[in-house]
Amino acid sequence: GAKEAGRRRYQFFTVGMQRSIRAKAELEQELRRALERQELILEYQPVADVLTRRPVAYEALVRWCHPRHGMVSPARFIPLAEETGLIEPLGRWVLETACRQLRVWQGMGCSDLCVAVNVSARQLELGLCAADVESILVASGVRPASLILEITEGLMLDGRAESCGRLQALRDLGVRLAVDDFGTGYSSLGYLKRFPVDELKIDRSFVQGLPDSSDDVSLVEAIIGIARSLNLALVAEGVENQRQLAFLRDRGCGLVQGYFLGRPASGEAVSAWLACPSESASPRQESAAHA
Ligand code: C2E
Ligand code: MG
Ligand code: MG
Ligand code: MG
């Protein structure tokens, strides 16, 4: 019956479940249609200077506004998009949309603002190259240095010649590269030497226990040391409270991201806030400013 169908559909979006081949094919169809029907949207979360708490960049995070299931998290459909190759058109759409949005914000006077876009290993394997990114930048009127591509450690380590070459070419274009979820991948740090990355993002699992967990304190201090000695920008993810922020500030982690600074929000909401930082509605940013 309808109830059962509803339950079955709901299961499509469960993380880590074993999807039947049919369920997967059905979801693939839905995702393909979602791209065509413009059911995908981007939200933007601020990456802020730890001292001023002003945003220096916004990270674009994709959502699927499903007609029946509401907002679906990327953690649920990105893996499927990667498996099916749909990540290619999806990723291209994300890049174009984020760059166009950034151009609007820069036009409002925020000329130093940057945008960060997540790029998965599969996208590079499927052929995302510097020429593609360059044409998107040219079409949107965004400088390469205003674009940060967030890559997970796995990709840096995968060592595939084409992927390495593509990353290098992106870097040569002047785009900045960040290592996302830093510390959750492998323990080899050799890739930091091979890839001229610009930024590390400390995974939020290490930020969570600050400042009480001595393990988290040690790990975060070590990562701050690595970033400092390699002269890399450093972002701490998942900052949810004042104590975490104070710790990171005192230890010299330059940039912070997390609910305490601002939740992901629509492009329009960010525009409103940028136009009038102190007044427009952005509850989390307000509370951070007052804390
Ligand atoms: P990520 O790149 O590490 O993004 C950070 C995630 O942490 C986001 O989840 C964000 O909403 C969440 N977050 C931010 N601040 C806090 C906080 O203070 N506390 C907690 N508990 N969570 C926080 P989201 O939006 O669900 O994205 C999950 C992952 O999906 C991203 O992780 C990224 O790997 C992937 N993703 C998102 N958008 C895209 C995209 O356009 N392309 C690709 N390839 N991957 C994407
Ligand atoms: Mg990211
Ligand atoms: Mg991250
Ligand atoms: Mg993450």
Side-chain angles (χ1 to χ4, degrees):
K3 207 174 193 175
E4 198 186 44
R7 188 159 49 230
R8 206 181 61 220
R9 264 191 233 105
Y10 173 73
Q11 286 183 340
F12 289 175
F13 302 113
T14 330
V15 187
M17 69 173 205
Q18 299 175 295
R19 296 188 196 93
S20 73
I21 289 172
R22 216 178 101 210
K24 209 185 264 178
E26 229 175 288
L27 180 57
E28 182 185 345
Q29 268 311 105
E30 283 209 60
L31 188 53
R32 200 178 295 278
R33 279 199 301 263
L35 262 169
E36 292 158 8
R37 292 179 186 170
Q38 303 180 308
E39 289 171 14
L40 297 180
I41 59 147
L42 292 185
E43 289 194 322
Y44 299 88
Q45 185 179 32
V47 175
D49 182 298
V50 76
L51 297 175
T52 64
R53 295 186 192 180
R54 292 288 143 188
V56 299
Y58 281 87
E59 178 176 2
L61 296 160
V62 68
R63 276 93 182 81
W64 181 359
C65 296
H66 195 283
R68 291 185 310 279
H69 306 299
M71 286 276 233
V72 184
S73 143
R76 312 231 166 149
F77 63 88
I78 292 287
L80 179 88
E82 290 172 343
E83 242 177 85
T84 56
L86 280 172
I87 192 71
E88 194 183 5
L90 190 156
R92 192 175 304 272
W93 177 85
V94 170
L95 255 177
E96 285 168 355
T97 308
C99 287
R100 271 203 303 268
Q101 180 64 78
L102 179 66
R103 186 64 195 86
V104 170
W105 292 333
Q106 290 186 338
M108 291 169 57
C110 307
S111 50
D112 294 333
L113 200 63
C114 297
V115 75
V117 172
N118 294 284
V119 172
S120 70
R122 273 295 277 162
Q123 284 173 262
L124 288 169
E125 281 171 28
L126 290 171
L128 176 72
C129 63
D132 297 330
V133 175
E134 188 172 25
S135 67
I136 291 172
L137 288 169
V138 168
S140 56
V142 163
R143 283 165 279 135
S146 306
L147 176 64
I148 302 159
L149 297 180
E150 299 193 1
I151 321 269
T152 52
E153 267 179 293
L155 180 53
M156 302 280 178
L157 293 160
D158 117 345
R160 226 180 274 258
E162 308 100 66
S163 300
C164 297
R166 289 195 175 121
L167 279 180
Q168 187 60 59
L170 285 165
R171 187 71 178 4
D172 292 344
L173 190 65
V175 165
R176 293 194 284 153
L177 300 181
V179 184
D180 206 352
D181 302 334
F182 184 74
T184 60
Y186 305 70
S187 54
S188 162
L189 296 173
Y191 71 88
L192 291 179
K193 217 164 58 171
R194 289 197 308 275
F195 287 112
V197 301
D198 303 276
E199 176 179 301
L200 303 180
K201 295 191 79 173
I202 308 177
D203 189 66
R204 71 164 179 273
S205 59
F206 303 115
V207 173
Q208 214 162 22
L210 299 179
D212 300 317
S213 153
S214 58
D215 286 347
D216 285 351
V217 166
S218 305
L219 287 166
V220 167
E221 285 178 345
I223 296 172
I224 291 172
I226 291 172
R228 183 167 295 150
S229 49
L230 294 177
N231 204 15
L232 304 174
L234 185 62
V235 181
E237 298 186 322
V239 176
E240 294 182 350
N241 59 56
Q242 169 65 39
R243 295 176 69 224
Q244 292 166 337
L245 184 85
F247 176 91
L248 292 160
R249 185 194 55 217
D250 296 347
R251 295 298 194 287
C253 173
L255 300 165
V256 281
Q257 182 177 10
Y259 295 165
F260 190 67
L261 288 309
R263 293 201 175 236
S266 70
E268 301 85 80
V270 172
S271 295
W273 189 84
L274 289 173
C276 214
S278 50
E279 283 166 42
S280 27
S282 180
R284 294 290 160 166
Q285 280 169 345
E286 291 266 320
S287 70
H290 293 152

